[in-house]
Amino acid sequence: MSHVWDPRRYLAYADERGRPFVELIARIAATDPGVVVDLGCGPGNLTALLRQRWPDARVTGIDSSPEMIEAARRGVPAVTFAVDDLRDWLAQTAPGEVDVLVSNATLQWLPDHLDLLPSLVGAVRPRGWLAFQVPGNFDEPSHTLRDELAAEEPYAAHMAGVATPAAHDAATYLRALQRLGCDVEAWETTYLHVLHGPDPVFTWVSGTGARPTLQALPSPLLPRFEEELKARLRAAYPDDGHGVVLPFRRVFVVARPA
């Protein structure tokens, strides 16, 4: 089931969402790459950092969401952006075409993304750089409460085919890429985001992981679902007067093909 992304909602916590990207590309030691690609570039605000890092490179952002690409083209005119599915892009890309291939918080939406690692590695030139980051917080209440509520009636009847994100731990990616002949650095970090405002965890998840679920519901059911999910999230993430703490584990991988 397809869903539509909202760049404005996604950027509600742009600083918090951007920090893992900055820490990921800090581990890329490329000096003068010619071709840099951001797979799953979203609204392009982070792709702009790749342009700043390597101003002489040909930087391209790829995303399957026309809404995200439209926002990226408006906001970052110095970068080339294109609407494309990640799998289709891989099928059309010549082996070794890319010097630096980055994917930030995207692969978790592809259930078979572990099987795509050979194609991702193959798109990168020998001794180039493949770097990606995925969320690793799918057992946290921010996800499990949504799943539990969506499995209840009357909502469950509308959940067939709804996309749900999933990822592996750092060791799984490390071993898989080592088997492909890469030198690999993999690690995990748990951020403690302090969020403010009314129902901030709902605002966070409604821009990312919960968005497909919300869009799958018919309009008569949506307000009730949102209010029930907000109430459960408030109970799981209380505000003690200093903001709501949202623990968020991230998995990072930087690989260099042989």
Side-chain angles (χ1 to χ4, degrees):
M1 180 181 295
S2 61
H3 51 275
V4 178
W5 292 107
D6 183 344
R8 290 177 297 178
R9 176 59 65 93
Y10 180 82
L11 291 171
Y13 292 107
D15 289 344
E16 290 86 352
R17 297 192 199 280
R19 182 177 169 187
F21 184 91
V22 172
E23 296 184 5
L24 176 68
I25 66 172
R27 301 302 301 169
I28 302 173
T31 54
D32 56 350
V35 178
V36 177
V37 176
D38 183 4
L39 282 180
C41 64
N45 58 307
L46 299 177
T47 316
L49 301 180
L50 301 177
R51 179 69 176 175
Q52 294 173 15
R53 173 83 179 272
W54 297 293
D56 296 327
R58 176 161 57 90
V59 179
T60 302
I62 305 293
D63 202 284
S64 62
S65 166
E67 295 77 17
M68 288 292 197
I69 291 298
E70 181 183 355
R73 287 171 174 163
R74 290 197 308 266
V76 193
V79 173
T80 299
F81 292 98
V83 178
D84 205 351
D85 182 88
L86 186 150
R87 302 178 195 86
D88 293 339
W89 180 86
L90 285 172
Q92 300 160 10
T93 300
E97 184 175 323
V98 182
D99 297 299
V100 176
L101 180 57
V102 177
S103 185
N104 182 66
T106 296
L107 295 179
Q108 74 274 8
W109 290 106
L110 305 175
D112 61 343
H113 69 263
L114 208 60
D115 295 332
L116 292 177
L117 291 183
S119 297
L120 290 166
V121 171
V124 178
R125 68 166 175 82
R127 306 312 295 162
W129 299 82
L130 168 64
F132 62 87
Q133 175 270 128
V134 290
N137 66 330
F138 300 114
D139 57 353
E140 291 290 330
S142 55
H143 286 273
T144 60
L145 291 176
R146 178 205 68 216
D147 293 341
E148 292 168 4
L149 181 58
E152 299 175 7
E153 294 297 347
Y155 313 118
H158 304 279
M159 293 297 110
V162 171
T164 54
H168 304 278
D169 61 18
T172 298
Y173 294 117
L174 183 145
R175 289 305 191 194
L177 288 163
Q178 284 180 329
R179 287 192 290 270
L180 294 172
C182 296
D183 294 330
V184 188
E185 179 183 10
W187 70 100
E188 301 179 4
T189 298
T190 297
Y191 299 89
L192 297 180
H193 298 306
V194 180
L195 311 181
H196 300 275
D199 295 305
V201 178
F202 176 82
T203 299
W204 181 292
V205 301
S206 65
T208 51
R211 188 162 182 80
T213 300
L214 297 174
Q215 290 195 331
L217 293 168
S219 54
L221 289 179
L222 182 58
R224 175 180 164 188
F225 183 93
E226 289 185 342
E227 288 307 312
E228 289 189 26
L229 182 56
K230 287 177 181 178
R232 297 185 189 194
L233 290 172
R234 284 196 297 269
Y237 300 95
D239 188 342
D240 64 356
H242 300 283
V244 172
V245 176
L246 175 67
F248 203 121
R249 174 172 162 258
R250 301 272 185 174
V251 179
F252 299 82
V253 179
V254 176
R256 303 197 69 188

